[in-house]
Amino acid sequence: MLDLHRLVLLRAVGLHGGITAAARELAYSHSAISQQLSLLEKEAGTPLLEKVGRSAQLTPAGLELVRNTEPILAALEHAEAELAASHDQPLGVVTLAVFPSIGRGVLPAALVALADAHPGLDVRVRVLDPEDAALRLVSRQVDAVVTDSYPGTQVAPTGGIHASVLGRDAVRGYLPAAHADADLERLRTLPWVMEPRASASTQWALRVCRELGFEPHVAHESSDVLFHLRMVEAGVAAAFLPDLVVRETGSRLAPSAQLPADQHRSILFLTRSGAQAHPALAVIERAIADAFAESVSRAD
């Protein structure tokens, strides 16, 4: 009989890229995970990990075992959701990961509404980059994630995720005031500020620029989108900025007529598959969606 806890540890090694990284994320010692996985290999009767350089990766048998573990975990999530539904009110601790701009601009209002309507619910917030948040969700380190998704980009690094749309947020291009009328040739030479290159927002932004016929000169990188806005205001860089960020600052920046005005990102609520009907998660999702809609209506 295969031990479920050991299966979860094997899955974590695959997600995090090795035993050392999995141990760090799960607050285990390296030796504790190694011992548990050695026992799992004995139970399975086949090698599940193989050495690659100084790390370890899953063998084909290990990968197949993890794939078969996903529906088991989803069934457990579903069972927990049904059990929670037997209570009169959502109860307990829920850890929620959010990206910074929605954490600042929307979440406080949602938390006030939740405290009034569901006093037995204890929502604990972690402000994380979207990529890190999704990984922590599938690793069971957080219970739900509010993230964003840009057209043509991947929502999460793995399966086992249920996503629902909370709303859409326009993303517009902004140029330094001195270059507000820049033509295509000038757009090629302007310095831009974007998030790190591997991020979904930057991959999307690069594609938008290329479709317009130019390769942007990305001179500055930062995960802090407020920094992007301040760089545009200072006249030292161009940027793509979500409406949510511009609204929260009260900035008077005007979007560029040279850049597309019909682009949007989706604001998503992520849970592990099977957990989406959990009463606590359902009321949190609704409260955040309502707070986001209210922020948009105030701007209109």
Side-chain angles (χ1 to χ4, degrees):
M1 180 71 68
L2 298 176
D3 182 272
L4 181 59
H5 174 64
R6 291 169 189 153
L7 290 172
V8 170
L9 292 179
L10 180 69
R11 179 176 177 267
V13 171
L15 285 172
H16 295 289
I19 294 176
T20 300
R24 181 173 59 248
E25 291 296 329
L26 300 178
Y28 278 74
S29 69
H30 186 287
S31 61
I33 291 185
S34 295
Q35 288 170 8
Q36 291 298 309
L37 294 183
S38 294
L39 291 172
L40 182 61
E41 287 186 325
K42 290 179 181 178
E43 293 171 348
T46 187
L48 302 174
L49 293 168
E50 59 186 357
K51 281 278 189 179
V52 177
R54 299 178 64 184
S55 186
Q57 69 178 23
L58 273 61
T59 64
L63 290 169
E64 183 63 25
L65 191 53
V66 167
R67 279 193 290 270
N68 289 325
T69 300
E70 295 294 347
I72 298 171
L73 295 176
L76 287 174
E77 296 282 357
H78 181 71
E80 289 179 6
E82 288 199 334
L83 182 61
S86 65
H87 299 295
D88 293 333
Q89 286 286 331
L91 301 170
V93 176
V94 175
T95 303
L96 176 68
V98 301
F99 62 93
S101 59
I102 205 161
R104 294 186 304 262
V106 172
L107 197 62
L111 292 177
V112 169
L114 285 166
D116 289 342
H118 306 287
L121 196 56
D122 181 3
V123 182
R124 302 180 182 182
V125 178
R126 305 287 183 267
V127 178
L128 302 169
D129 289 336
E131 293 81 4
D132 186 23
L135 186 57
R136 287 175 183 261
L137 177 65
V138 296
S139 300
R140 304 176 68 84
Q141 295 172 280
V142 301
D143 300 305
V145 170
V146 180
T147 189
D148 56 359
S149 174
Y150 288 78
T153 63
Q154 187 179 5
V155 174
T158 185
I161 293 288
H162 178 272
S164 56
V165 179
L166 298 174
R168 295 209 309 160
D169 188 28
V171 183
R172 312 178 200 272
Y174 293 82
L175 302 178
H179 304 285
D181 299 324
D183 58 15
L184 184 60
E185 288 304 313
R186 184 63 184 135
L187 287 176
R188 288 193 176 99
T189 59
L190 278 177
W192 286 75
V193 55
M194 294 186 184
E195 295 189 60
R197 192 173 184 88
S199 69
S201 63
T202 295
Q203 291 303 306
W204 168 84
L206 292 173
R207 187 171 65 252
V208 169
C209 292
R210 289 162 184 165
E211 288 174 353
L212 289 173
F214 73 97
E215 184 71 23
H217 167 48
V218 183
H220 315 287
E221 286 189 6
S222 172
S223 296
D224 183 357
V225 185
L226 272 179
F227 172 72
H228 298 194
L229 184 146
R230 299 308 182 199
M231 293 287 276
V232 178
E233 288 180 329
V236 296
F240 287 100
L241 298 171
D243 276 6
L244 182 62
V245 174
V246 178
R247 283 199 304 270
E248 82 168 273
T249 63
S251 175
R252 296 181 178 274
L253 284 176
S256 168
Q258 282 71 40
L259 297 168
D262 60 347
Q263 304 292 302
H264 293 79
R265 64 176 178 169
S266 296
I267 308 301
L268 304 179
F269 189 79
L270 307 182
T271 62
R272 290 182 291 274
S273 295
Q276 60 268 25
H278 194 292
L281 298 179
V283 297
I284 291 170
E285 177 183 352
R286 184 73 264 157
I288 298 172
D290 289 346
F292 179 72
E294 177 64 22
S295 75
V296 173
S297 67
R298 286 198 305 269
D300 295 341

